[in-house]
Amino acid sequence: MADNPVLVEVLRGEHVESRHRGAFVAMDGDGTTILSAGDLERPVFPRSAIKLIQALPLVESGAADHYELTDSELALSGASHSGEPGHVRTAAAMLSKAELTKNDLECGSHWPFDTGASRHLFCEGEEPNALHNNCSGKHAGFLCTCRQQGWPTGGYVGYDHPMQEAIRDAMTALTGAAHGPDNMAIDGCAIPTYAIALTAMAKGMAAMASGKGLGKERAAAANRLMSAAMAEPWHVAGSKRACTLMMQAGAGRLYIKTGAEGVYCGILPELGIGFALKCEDGTTRASEAMAAALVAKLLPDGDPLAQRLSAMARTPILTRKGDVVGEIRPTAALA
Amino acid sequence: MADNPVLVEVLRGEHVESRHRGAFVAMDGDGTTILSAGDLERPVFPRSAIKLIQALPLVESGAADHYELTDSELALSGASHSGEPGHVRTAAAMLSKAELTKNDLECGSHWPFDTGASRHLFCEGEEPNALHNNCSGKHAGFLCTCRQQGWPTGGYVGYDHPMQEAIRDAMTALTGAAHGPDNMAIDGCAIPTYAIALTAMAKGMAAMASGKGLGKERAAAANRLMSAAMAEPWHVAGSKRACTLMMQAGAGRLYIKTGAEGVYCGILPELGIGFALKCEDGTTRASEAMAAALVAKLLPDGDPLAQRLSAMARTPILTRKGDVVGEIRPTAALA
């Protein structure tokens, strides 16, 4: 296996303290590589970074129309949200439209990513439930699809359930990569995840952007989901989260989504470009810097959005008293 | 620069999802390398991993005797504690013995590492203060030294203050590495930290273990600090923390201490071995696995402690429902 280059370095004073390696690729709708670095063929679990594609069956089936899902609800169906009260309410509303409850969710529960939300829950003597799971919107979308399609709602996370078959079919069609038992493992929210090449992920994102080769209905569904996420970026992640901040800065010019273990996928709709990246060690601080720097590099020189994202790619390191003593920054390979 | 090998891998199902590189070295008291891998000459900030050496002036000055510091207090003077109530009480008691208060601490404040301690503080409507800082015990030790030596207590974190000079002298003597403006940066708690080779760190730890070349008084101070930490491991880190758990398992046969950005230093006193390691990307989950695996590898075959640490080097990855779907484990280079 080829070594991945160092894409992000952590400085303390004038010295490099830590290093993060990674790989990335950006492609257009014709499958032409625009920019890349590192080992692109090593299989990578996209995890939550391809939630937009996992939400296609919700729209294509007609379930999104049947339940009159709003942009916020569609955005949440492709979210890794922070478990803030607004996220929890939106997930509950989606389930309610399908006459289901949090007890139908099979994602398990965890404390909200948002520290404030967790602390408030704790102070009220409560425990988190499945609605607080960062994937509850995605699972609510699955359940809406199952209900509208007449599939069993129990066991919808299983490999052989029609819900997971539909996701697998969409992923295979958009990425061109095989999805089956050989490259499958189980994601944190209990559904299957499949290790594929970064090039396949970028190809899938470029297809979502351009609609090329998808057919009219799928292309429309892709566009609707992407537009909803860009219109409601807080519902895709949450307060102070990188995906939300980058899409807010993008103001309709950037779709971007992270996945666990340092993955990012995204779309520049104006340019018809899809991209994917993986930080080799799975660290969030590094994948965030890589994502912001990569988007800045893909945009035209002098674009104000590129300047904003270049600034977001650099994070000062502070002492506990607040003095700046270092920086997280992209290396020359990305800057 | 030579590439560091992958020492820890993160599996999901049968597939490697993320990889952590690193370097390590173990040395005996004569400076002979016992075991090593990776780039050993690349300078590394030890951060909190050499707090045991930073605490030498507290004992050598006579301040520890003057204020009748207990083993818990000496352990806390070399700790990165979790800010649990017992840690906060011990740091306050040390300051009180020197007729000082938390207002004399110059380390800044942050929410306790311990989630429960943070949540309880929040529910009581309180903010963290400098006693909750993971370094408050080290700083309380500095202040005891300053008070007993008649040095100014204000400004003790400064490069030119006699406290930092004494630490620099001890670090230089034990590690053989230069400590000065050229390799200096500022640590999170506002004191200087100096980038040195892992071999120098391991040499310093081996010197703490064997006392060789230190002179009688310094050797006794080193032994007293190491013994206090091993006797009171909860005061070195806290509940469920890796350093505490590993020293509890070691029961007097292992001293070990982590530092920020994936560093570990440690001692096997019976074998007279000191060791140091750095995870290249600075990730805690990986440096913990590296540390446990390295200690297991240094111990004789069939030693029950080696078996316990080998088990601690592997951590299952669970879904939010609690099913095992992966594992963090050392690679063949360390297993």
Side-chain angles (χ1 to χ4, degrees), chain B residues 27-74:
Chain B
M27 296 176 91
D28 67 17
D30 299 320
T32 305
T33 297
I34 310 288
L35 202 65
S36 74
D39 183 350
L40 303 181
E41 295 311 317
R42 188 188 293 186
V44 167
F45 287 110
R47 309 290 301 274
S48 294
I50 43 76
K51 274 180 172 160
L52 200 68
I53 300 178
Q54 292 175 324
L56 275 176
L58 172 66
V59 177
E60 292 183 284
S61 64
D65 284 334
H66 181 74
Y67 295 118
E68 300 180 347
L69 296 189
T70 64
D71 272 0
S72 297
E73 290 167 339
L74 286 176

Tab-separated table of all heavy atoms in Angstrom, chain B residues 27-74:
chain	number	residue	atom	x	y	z
B	27	MET	N	14.928	1.883	27.309
B	27	MET	CA	16.369	1.857	27.608
B	27	MET	C	16.617	1.410	29.037
B	27	MET	O	15.777	1.625	29.909
B	27	MET	CB	16.962	3.260	27.440
B	27	MET	CG	16.895	3.783	26.031
B	27	MET	SD	17.513	5.486	25.929
B	27	MET	CE	19.231	5.139	25.589
B	28	ASP	N	17.812	0.841	29.265
B	28	ASP	CA	18.176	0.522	30.645
B	28	ASP	C	18.999	1.680	31.234
B	28	ASP	O	19.258	2.677	30.561
B	28	ASP	CB	18.902	-0.828	30.729
B	28	ASP	CG	20.271	-0.800	30.059
B	28	ASP	OD1	20.815	0.298	29.818
B	28	ASP	OD2	20.794	-1.892	29.767
B	29	GLY	N	19.395	1.543	32.500
B	29	GLY	CA	20.081	2.626	33.209
B	29	GLY	C	21.459	2.940	32.650
B	29	GLY	O	22.047	3.994	32.950
B	30	ASP	N	22.005	2.031	31.824
B	30	ASP	CA	23.306	2.283	31.191
B	30	ASP	C	23.148	2.980	29.841
B	30	ASP	O	24.144	3.209	29.145
B	30	ASP	CB	24.054	0.957	30.992
B	30	ASP	CG	24.325	0.264	32.314
B	30	ASP	OD1	24.657	0.970	33.281
B	30	ASP	OD2	24.174	-0.972	32.390
B	31	GLY	N	21.898	3.256	29.450
B	31	GLY	CA	21.674	3.914	28.166
B	31	GLY	C	21.647	2.949	26.994
B	31	GLY	O	21.731	3.355	25.841
B	32	THR	N	21.515	1.661	27.288
B	32	THR	CA	21.417	0.663	26.219
B	32	THR	C	19.964	0.531	25.779
B	32	THR	O	19.074	0.397	26.629
B	32	THR	CB	21.918	-0.714	26.712
B	32	THR	OG1	23.242	-0.547	27.222
B	32	THR	CG2	21.907	-1.748	25.586
B	33	THR	N	19.732	0.563	24.460
B	33	THR	CA	18.373	0.419	23.944
B	33	THR	C	17.955	-1.050	24.005
B	33	THR	O	18.669	-1.928	23.518
B	33	THR	CB	18.299	0.934	22.497
B	33	THR	OG1	18.598	2.330	22.512
B	33	THR	CG2	16.908	0.728	21.906
B	34	ILE	N	16.779	-1.276	24.620
B	34	ILE	CA	16.244	-2.630	24.776
B	34	ILE	C	15.325	-2.962	23.607
B	34	ILE	O	15.303	-4.092	23.109
B	34	ILE	CB	15.410	-2.738	26.085
B	34	ILE	CG1	16.166	-2.195	27.286
B	34	ILE	CG2	14.910	-4.149	26.310
B	34	ILE	CD1	17.304	-3.036	27.753
B	35	LEU	N	14.542	-1.973	23.196
B	35	LEU	CA	13.511	-2.182	22.176
B	35	LEU	C	13.183	-0.814	21.580
B	35	LEU	O	13.105	0.171	22.308
B	35	LEU	CB	12.260	-2.744	22.868
B	35	LEU	CG	11.225	-3.513	22.052
B	35	LEU	CD1	11.814	-4.806	21.514
B	35	LEU	CD2	10.012	-3.831	22.925
B	36	SER	N	12.996	-0.758	20.264
B	36	SER	CA	12.625	0.527	19.667
B	36	SER	C	12.002	0.330	18.293
B	36	SER	O	12.136	-0.737	17.687
B	36	SER	CB	13.851	1.446	19.544
B	36	SER	OG	14.697	1.006	18.494
B	37	ALA	N	11.301	1.352	17.825
B	37	ALA	CA	10.760	1.389	16.461
B	37	ALA	C	10.494	2.837	16.102
B	37	ALA	O	10.222	3.666	16.982
B	37	ALA	CB	9.466	0.577	16.372
B	38	GLY	N	10.568	3.145	14.812
B	38	GLY	CA	10.219	4.481	14.334
B	38	GLY	C	11.362	5.470	14.454
B	38	GLY	O	12.489	5.111	14.803
B	39	ASP	N	11.031	6.717	14.165
B	39	ASP	CA	12.010	7.800	14.134
B	39	ASP	C	12.239	8.304	15.556
B	39	ASP	O	11.397	8.988	16.125
B	39	ASP	CB	11.473	8.928	13.240
B	39	ASP	CG	12.471	10.062	13.086
B	39	ASP	OD1	13.483	10.078	13.809
B	39	ASP	OD2	12.233	10.936	12.237
B	40	LEU	N	13.393	7.970	16.119
B	40	LEU	CA	13.665	8.285	17.528
B	40	LEU	C	14.327	9.645	17.708
B	40	LEU	O	14.429	10.138	18.833
B	40	LEU	CB	14.547	7.203	18.143
B	40	LEU	CG	13.982	5.782	18.062
B	40	LEU	CD1	14.928	4.814	18.734
B	40	LEU	CD2	12.602	5.706	18.694
B	41	GLU	N	14.786	10.243	16.639
B	41	GLU	CA	15.524	11.505	16.771
B	41	GLU	C	14.648	12.731	16.529
B	41	GLU	O	15.002	13.837	16.907
B	41	GLU	CB	16.726	11.505	15.833
B	41	GLU	CG	17.765	10.437	16.190
B	41	GLU	CD	18.131	10.446	17.687
B	41	GLU	OE1	18.309	11.522	18.267
B	41	GLU	OE2	18.203	9.341	18.277
B	42	ARG	N	13.501	12.536	15.866
B	42	ARG	CA	12.570	13.647	15.634
B	42	ARG	C	12.161	14.238	16.984
B	42	ARG	O	11.656	13.520	17.846
B	42	ARG	CB	11.331	13.088	14.915
B	42	ARG	CG	10.349	14.118	14.432
B	42	ARG	CD	9.081	13.450	13.910
B	42	ARG	NE	9.293	12.676	12.693
B	42	ARG	CZ	8.314	12.091	11.989
B	42	ARG	NH1	7.054	12.178	12.401
B	42	ARG	NH2	8.589	11.410	10.906
B	43	PRO	N	12.341	15.539	17.209
B	43	PRO	CA	12.026	16.111	18.529
B	43	PRO	C	10.527	16.018	18.853
B	43	PRO	O	9.685	16.246	17.985
B	43	PRO	CB	12.468	17.571	18.403
B	43	PRO	CG	13.379	17.628	17.221
B	43	PRO	CD	12.900	16.560	16.287
B	44	VAL	N	10.238	15.671	20.088
B	44	VAL	CA	8.864	15.475	20.577
B	44	VAL	C	8.687	16.305	21.848
B	44	VAL	O	9.553	16.308	22.715
B	44	VAL	CB	8.639	13.967	20.884
B	44	VAL	CG1	7.368	13.755	21.689
B	44	VAL	CG2	8.622	13.141	19.600
B	45	PHE	N	7.566	17.015	21.942
B	45	PHE	CA	7.253	17.695	23.204
B	45	PHE	C	6.739	16.652	24.195
B	45	PHE	O	5.695	16.044	23.942
B	45	PHE	CB	6.185	18.770	23.001
B	45	PHE	CG	6.665	19.997	22.278
B	45	PHE	CD1	6.239	20.285	20.997
B	45	PHE	CD2	7.555	20.874	22.897
B	45	PHE	CE1	6.685	21.426	20.325
B	45	PHE	CE2	8.010	22.017	22.242
B	45	PHE	CZ	7.583	22.289	20.955
B	46	PRO	N	7.420	16.464	25.324
B	46	PRO	CA	6.942	15.435	26.280
B	46	PRO	C	5.635	15.839	26.960
B	46	PRO	O	4.933	14.985	27.490
B	46	PRO	CB	8.074	15.327	27.286
B	46	PRO	CG	9.001	16.461	27.044
B	46	PRO	CD	8.682	17.090	25.730
B	47	ARG	N	5.350	17.163	26.959
B	47	ARG	CA	4.163	17.682	27.650
B	47	ARG	C	4.084	17.128	29.084
B	47	ARG	O	5.097	17.166	29.795
B	47	ARG	CB	2.889	17.379	26.820
B	47	ARG	CG	2.965	17.818	25.331
B	47	ARG	CD	2.944	19.318	25.164
B	47	ARG	NE	1.758	19.903	25.718
B	47	ARG	CZ	0.595	20.029	25.088
B	47	ARG	NH1	0.472	19.587	23.846
B	47	ARG	NH2	-0.442	20.607	25.673
B	48	SER	N	2.962	16.569	29.477
B	48	SER	CA	2.812	16.140	30.873
B	48	SER	C	3.466	14.791	31.177
B	48	SER	O	3.431	14.348	32.328
B	48	SER	CB	1.327	16.032	31.221
B	48	SER	OG	0.725	17.299	31.197
B	49	ALA	N	4.045	14.140	30.164
B	49	ALA	CA	4.583	12.791	30.393
B	49	ALA	C	5.832	12.805	31.266
B	49	ALA	O	6.218	11.763	31.802
B	49	ALA	CB	4.867	12.098	29.059
B	50	ILE	N	6.480	13.989	31.437
B	50	ILE	CA	7.676	14.032	32.296
B	50	ILE	C	7.418	14.851	33.565
B	50	ILE	O	8.330	15.425	34.154
B	50	ILE	CB	8.916	14.567	31.530
B	50	ILE	CG1	8.589	15.769	30.650
B	50	ILE	CG2	9.531	13.483	30.664
B	50	ILE	CD1	8.413	17.065	31.351
B	51	LYS	N	6.150	14.861	34.021
B	51	LYS	CA	5.816	15.590	35.253
B	51	LYS	C	6.581	15.052	36.467
B	51	LYS	O	6.835	15.795	37.414
B	51	LYS	CB	4.308	15.538	35.505
B	51	LYS	CG	3.542	16.660	34.782
B	51	LYS	CD	2.040	16.600	35.024
B	51	LYS	CE	1.343	17.850	34.451
B	51	LYS	NZ	-0.099	17.663	34.230
B	52	LEU	N	6.950	13.776	36.433
B	52	LEU	CA	7.707	13.206	37.553
B	52	LEU	C	9.050	13.938	37.694
B	52	LEU	O	9.481	14.241	38.813
B	52	LEU	CB	7.944	11.707	37.309
B	52	LEU	CG	8.279	10.847	38.523
B	52	LEU	CD1	7.101	10.735	39.468
B	52	LEU	CD2	8.722	9.450	38.089
B	53	ILE	N	9.697	14.218	36.561
B	53	ILE	CA	10.976	14.942	36.591
B	53	ILE	C	10.742	16.402	36.963
B	53	ILE	O	11.511	16.989	37.739
B	53	ILE	CB	11.707	14.815	35.232
B	53	ILE	CG1	11.989	13.330	34.929
B	53	ILE	CG2	12.997	15.641	35.227
B	53	ILE	CD1	12.660	13.072	33.577
B	54	GLN	N	9.646	16.989	36.449
B	54	GLN	CA	9.326	18.383	36.799
B	54	GLN	C	9.057	18.553	38.301
B	54	GLN	O	9.129	19.670	38.816
B	54	GLN	CB	8.100	18.859	36.003
B	54	GLN	CG	8.359	19.008	34.502
B	54	GLN	CD	7.096	19.362	33.721
B	54	GLN	OE1	6.005	18.895	34.044
B	54	GLN	NE2	7.247	20.177	32.688
B	55	ALA	N	8.724	17.442	38.990
B	55	ALA	CA	8.442	17.512	40.430
B	55	ALA	C	9.699	17.320	41.276
B	55	ALA	O	9.646	17.481	42.502
B	55	ALA	CB	7.387	16.472	40.807
B	56	LEU	N	10.838	16.986	40.656
B	56	LEU	CA	12.066	16.763	41.434
B	56	LEU	C	12.432	17.955	42.324
B	56	LEU	O	12.766	17.754	43.508
B	56	LEU	CB	13.240	16.426	40.500
B	56	LEU	CG	13.400	14.954	40.072
B	56	LEU	CD1	14.553	14.829	39.075
B	56	LEU	CD2	13.639	14.052	41.282
B	57	PRO	N	12.381	19.213	41.804
B	57	PRO	CA	12.768	20.339	42.673
B	57	PRO	C	11.923	20.444	43.954
B	57	PRO	O	12.435	20.869	44.993
B	57	PRO	CB	12.568	21.571	41.772
B	57	PRO	CG	12.738	21.050	40.379
B	57	PRO	CD	12.144	19.664	40.411
B	58	LEU	N	10.657	20.046	43.878
B	58	LEU	CA	9.780	20.079	45.053
B	58	LEU	C	10.363	19.233	46.185
B	58	LEU	O	10.337	19.638	47.358
B	58	LEU	CB	8.382	19.566	44.660
B	58	LEU	CG	7.354	19.342	45.766
B	58	LEU	CD1	6.954	20.659	46.428
B	58	LEU	CD2	6.099	18.636	45.206
B	59	VAL	N	10.888	18.051	45.833
B	59	VAL	CA	11.452	17.150	46.850
B	59	VAL	C	12.889	17.543	47.178
B	59	VAL	O	13.270	17.646	48.350
B	59	VAL	CB	11.372	15.685	46.372
B	59	VAL	CG1	12.017	14.745	47.390
B	59	VAL	CG2	9.916	15.295	46.120
B	60	GLU	N	13.702	17.797	46.148
B	60	GLU	CA	15.125	18.101	46.359
B	60	GLU	C	15.339	19.373	47.171
B	60	GLU	O	16.316	19.498	47.913
B	60	GLU	CB	15.833	18.254	45.008
B	60	GLU	CG	15.927	16.964	44.232
B	60	GLU	CD	16.693	17.166	42.929
B	60	GLU	OE1	16.111	17.736	41.985
B	60	GLU	OE2	17.862	16.770	42.858
B	61	SER	N	14.415	20.339	47.013
B	61	SER	CA	14.545	21.620	47.730
B	61	SER	C	14.306	21.462	49.227
B	61	SER	O	14.688	22.308	50.013
B	61	SER	CB	13.521	22.617	47.184
B	61	SER	OG	12.203	22.138	47.452
B	62	GLY	N	13.624	20.381	49.595
B	62	GLY	CA	13.216	20.212	50.987
B	62	GLY	C	11.795	20.700	51.234
B	62	GLY	O	11.257	20.540	52.333
B	63	ALA	N	11.168	21.273	50.204
B	63	ALA	CA	9.808	21.811	50.380
B	63	ALA	C	8.809	20.697	50.715
B	63	ALA	O	7.903	20.896	51.535
B	63	ALA	CB	9.371	22.559	49.116
B	64	ALA	N	8.982	19.540	50.083
B	64	ALA	CA	8.046	18.426	50.340
B	64	ALA	C	8.093	18.016	51.810
B	64	ALA	O	7.053	17.737	52.421
B	64	ALA	CB	8.378	17.245	49.430
B	65	ASP	N	9.309	17.984	52.386
B	65	ASP	CA	9.440	17.667	53.813
B	65	ASP	C	8.921	18.819	54.671
B	65	ASP	O	8.209	18.599	55.650
B	65	ASP	CB	10.914	17.407	54.159
B	65	ASP	CG	11.366	16.034	53.689
B	65	ASP	OD1	10.494	15.134	53.570
B	65	ASP	OD2	12.567	15.870	53.426
B	66	HIS	N	9.291	20.043	54.304
B	66	HIS	CA	8.896	21.226	55.075
B	66	HIS	C	7.375	21.287	55.244
B	66	HIS	O	6.878	21.592	56.329
B	66	HIS	CB	9.401	22.481	54.362
B	66	HIS	CG	9.080	23.754	55.072
B	66	HIS	ND1	9.741	24.158	56.220
B	66	HIS	CD2	8.160	24.720	54.822
B	66	HIS	CE1	9.247	25.311	56.626
B	66	HIS	NE2	8.283	25.677	55.800
B	67	TYR	N	6.642	20.993	54.175
B	67	TYR	CA	5.177	21.058	54.232
B	67	TYR	C	4.551	19.692	54.525
B	67	TYR	O	3.337	19.536	54.462
B	67	TYR	CB	4.623	21.648	52.919
B	67	TYR	CG	5.035	23.082	52.704
B	67	TYR	CD1	5.812	23.443	51.622
B	67	TYR	CD2	4.659	24.067	53.617
B	67	TYR	CE1	6.213	24.763	51.431
B	67	TYR	CE2	5.055	25.389	53.437
B	67	TYR	CZ	5.829	25.731	52.350
B	67	TYR	OH	6.222	27.030	52.175
B	68	GLU	N	5.408	18.715	54.852
B	68	GLU	CA	4.937	17.359	55.196
B	68	GLU	C	3.943	16.828	54.169
B	68	GLU	O	2.835	16.393	54.503
B	68	GLU	CB	4.327	17.358	56.608
B	68	GLU	CG	5.345	17.779	57.667
B	68	GLU	CD	4.783	17.782	59.092
B	68	GLU	OE1	3.543	17.699	59.241
B	68	GLU	OE2	5.582	17.848	60.032
B	69	LEU	N	4.348	16.890	52.893
B	69	LEU	CA	3.452	16.421	51.826
B	69	LEU	C	3.271	14.906	51.916
B	69	LEU	O	4.227	14.164	52.152
B	69	LEU	CB	3.998	16.821	50.451
B	69	LEU	CG	4.100	18.324	50.155
B	69	LEU	CD1	4.440	18.549	48.672
B	69	LEU	CD2	2.829	19.081	50.518
B	70	THR	N	2.029	14.482	51.743
B	70	THR	CA	1.694	13.059	51.780
B	70	THR	C	1.970	12.417	50.416
B	70	THR	O	2.238	13.103	49.430
B	70	THR	CB	0.196	12.884	52.086
B	70	THR	OG1	-0.544	13.465	50.989
B	70	THR	CG2	-0.203	13.589	53.381
B	71	ASP	N	1.877	11.095	50.379
B	71	ASP	CA	2.030	10.395	49.095
B	71	ASP	C	0.987	10.872	48.079
B	71	ASP	O	1.294	11.040	46.898
B	71	ASP	CB	1.880	8.875	49.294
B	71	ASP	CG	3.208	8.216	49.639
B	71	ASP	OD1	4.243	8.930	49.719
B	71	ASP	OD2	3.226	6.981	49.819
B	72	SER	N	-0.256	11.076	48.517
B	72	SER	CA	-1.302	11.565	47.607
B	72	SER	C	-0.919	12.925	47.036
B	72	SER	O	-1.116	13.189	45.846
B	72	SER	CB	-2.646	11.688	48.334
B	72	SER	OG	-3.080	10.426	48.762
B	73	GLU	N	-0.378	13.784	47.893
B	73	GLU	CA	0.006	15.124	47.432
B	73	GLU	C	1.195	15.062	46.482
B	73	GLU	O	1.226	15.771	45.470
B	73	GLU	CB	0.276	16.028	48.644
B	73	GLU	CG	-1.018	16.359	49.395
B	73	GLU	CD	-0.810	16.979	50.768
B	73	GLU	OE1	0.291	16.816	51.346
B	73	GLU	OE2	-1.756	17.621	51.272
B	74	LEU	N	2.174	14.207	46.779
B	74	LEU	CA	3.313	14.047	45.862
B	74	LEU	C	2.846	13.451	44.533
B	74	LEU	O	3.300	13.870	43.465
B	74	LEU	CB	4.392	13.154	46.492
B	74	LEU	CG	5.207	13.813	47.615
B	74	LEU	CD1	6.174	12.804	48.220
B	74	LEU	CD2	5.966	15.040	47.091
